[in-house]
Amino acid sequence: MSDSSRSLIPSFLYSSDHHRLFQSPEPSTTMTHVKSRPLIPPTSSSNGTSFAIATPNEKVEMYSPAYFAACTVAGMLCCGITHTAITPLDVIKCNMQIDPLKYKNITSAFKTTIKEQGLKGFTRGWSPTLLGYSAQGAFKYGLYEYSKKYYSDIVGPEYAAKYKTLIYLAGSASAEIVADVALCPMEAVKVRVQTQPGFARGLSDGLPKIIKSEGFRGLYKGLVPLWGRQIPYTMMKFATFENTVELIYKKVMPTPKEECSKPVQLGVSFAGGYIAGIFCAVISHPADNLVSFLNNSKGATVADAVKRLGLWGMFTRGLPLRIFMIGTLTGAQWVIYDAVKVLAGLPTTGGVSPATTLASSVSA
């Protein structure tokens, strides 16, 4: 490749690192361990050196920067896509939480929304949802994978296997703390747009309106309740999923995970995710009611929310809909997340303890 051509192409594309996206063909004796087919035909430069785009199935080294990057992108896609897709259900849920007298149940909330806002009312808040949950998903999944490896390294393979659930809990909690800081501003806009029809059309006018009336602090006034909702939710989500998937492969599947086809493994991911989602919905529902109330009521406190909703109401209002919504959401998230990992040449999540994965990556 000539110097002038190099100047037009980012350096990482022709780096000597074995994880580069573009790489020169090696002699056949050194390539026996990789059977990849280029996506486009090789092209030759003026000096006779050819290069080709690495195939999606080329193996990514476990716990390498490329591995964590793939997990981050997968998390961004799985959370952004799924949360945006269930925006209509989210609109109904939030309105039932905020105004239970007007939106008495799912049927009432659906009819009232249709009557007052039309079908367009069910898409309110989709843009802050897409941006907020994409950012949250990137940090949630990327940092979870990093934290799981980090804590396993600290305690060592023996204790990582013995206390694997604690590794899952600690890793997911650490990731969610950061992820919620990214989500909180968009969550504040989303709730206002969905529950106050005259407040704003969407993100473009809703975000400046909150900043103008309450300052940047107004975007983060729901952060502590959001942590209260999301941290237990995510701890339950990841720990339940990991253990459920491991149990399915041990007790239900007739063959080991490594011998199952990729579609079967993705089916296990969905089943484990749906089961985890049910537990997530129940444990985080009181805080979800609290977040909706505080973001909708200017100057309201936690005590105001408890007084208005009541303890029983905080635990039960909108819960059946949320169980269905979160179960489906979580199952779909794990399928998308693991599908992206499969496309990157990585194994699906779960089925083995952190220590087992760590040991196999070290021996490789």
Side-chain angles (χ1 to χ4, degrees):
M1 187 179 296
S2 64
D3 293 337
S4 60
S5 298
R6 277 179 176 267
S7 64
L8 298 177
I9 302 176
S11 61
F12 71 87
L13 294 181
Y14 52 84
S15 168
S16 61
D17 192 305
H18 69 285
H19 293 301
R20 60 187 183 273
L21 295 178
F22 292 79
Q23 61 185 36
S24 300
E26 302 289 344
S28 58
T29 56
T30 62
M31 289 295 289
T32 55
H33 66 288
V34 178
K35 296 181 180 179
S36 60
R37 178 171 55 86
L39 293 178
I40 60 174
T43 58
S44 299
S45 64
S46 59
N47 61 7
T49 303
S50 62
F51 61 89
I53 298 177
T55 67
N57 292 325
E58 183 172 347
K59 186 176 181 180
V60 174
E61 182 182 349
M62 291 293 291
Y63 307 121
S64 66
Y67 170 79
F68 293 120
C71 293
T72 299
V73 172
M76 177 184 70
L77 292 174
C78 77
C79 285
I81 292 172
T82 52
H83 277 278
T84 304
I86 63 166
T87 296
L89 293 177
D90 198 31
V91 170
I92 293 176
K93 174 190 70 75
C94 286
N95 280 293
M96 287 175 63
Q97 292 172 331
I98 297 304
D99 194 346
L101 296 179
K102 183 177 181 180
Y103 303 93
K104 296 181 175 63
N105 50 52
I106 296 175
T107 303
S108 171
F110 183 85
K111 290 180 179 179
T112 301
T113 303
I114 284 284
K115 181 179 179 180
E116 295 183 353
Q117 304 175 46
L119 290 175
K120 191 176 180 180
F122 291 106
T123 65
R124 296 182 67 87
W126 74 266
S127 53
T129 297
L130 176 61
L131 292 179
Y133 282 94
S134 293
Q136 185 215 34
F139 286 107
K140 183 201 296 270
Y141 283 85
L143 288 178
Y144 170 70
E145 297 285 0
Y146 178 83
S147 298
K148 185 167 64 171
K149 168 68 163 58
Y150 178 76
Y151 294 137
S152 296
D153 284 342
I154 290 177
V155 302
E158 180 182 353
Y159 286 105
K162 186 176 181 180
Y163 302 108
K164 60 187 177 184
T165 300
L166 292 180
I167 297 291
Y168 302 144
L169 293 172
S172 57
S174 300
E176 191 61 37
I177 290 173
V178 179
D180 287 345
V181 175
L183 169 64
C184 194
M186 295 298 100
E187 182 77 357
V189 177
K190 176 189 78 76
V191 171
R192 300 263 186 115
V193 170
Q194 289 179 341
T195 60
Q196 298 178 11
F199 175 75
R201 295 186 305 275
L203 177 63
S204 60
D205 55 340
L207 181 63
K209 198 167 185 178
I210 293 178
I211 295 175
K212 183 178 180 180
S213 62
E214 302 177 41
F216 284 97
R217 293 184 62 181
L219 297 173
Y220 284 95
K221 73 177 185 179
L223 180 59
V224 174
L226 188 62
W227 276 333
R229 180 188 79 184
Q230 289 297 132
I231 292 176
Y233 170 95
T234 301
M235 293 170 71
M236 180 67 72
K237 172 180 179 176
F238 282 90
T240 303
F241 174 82
E242 296 265 17
N243 283 294
T244 300
V245 168
E246 185 175 354
L247 190 63
I248 290 175
Y249 281 117
K250 285 184 178 180
K251 304 294 185 181
V252 179
M253 303 303 294
T255 57
K257 176 183 177 180
E258 295 75 16
E259 298 178 15
C260 295
S261 66
K262 295 303 181 184
V264 169
Q265 291 186 34
L266 292 177
V268 172
S269 295
F270 178 80
Y274 202 100
I275 293 171
I278 295 174
F279 286 95
C280 290
V282 173
I283 195 172
S284 64
H285 195 64
D288 185 61
N289 275 314
L290 189 59
V291 169
S292 297
F293 185 89
L294 292 178
N295 279 321
N296 187 65
S297 305
K298 186 176 180 179
T301 65
V302 174
D304 294 331
V306 174
K307 183 178 180 180
R308 171 74 181 275
L309 300 175
L311 286 175
W312 179 251
M314 290 184 66
F315 277 91
T316 60
R317 184 165 295 157
L319 181 58
L321 177 60
R322 191 158 185 266
I323 287 176
F324 171 75
M325 184 176 76
I326 298 300
T328 306
L329 177 86
T330 308
Q333 280 182 0
W334 281 111
V335 169
I336 295 172
Y337 180 72
D338 278 344
V340 174
K341 290 175 72 175
V342 168
L343 289 174
L346 293 166
T348 57
T349 310
V352 293
S353 69
T356 305
T357 306
L358 179 61
S360 63
S361 68
V362 172
S363 61

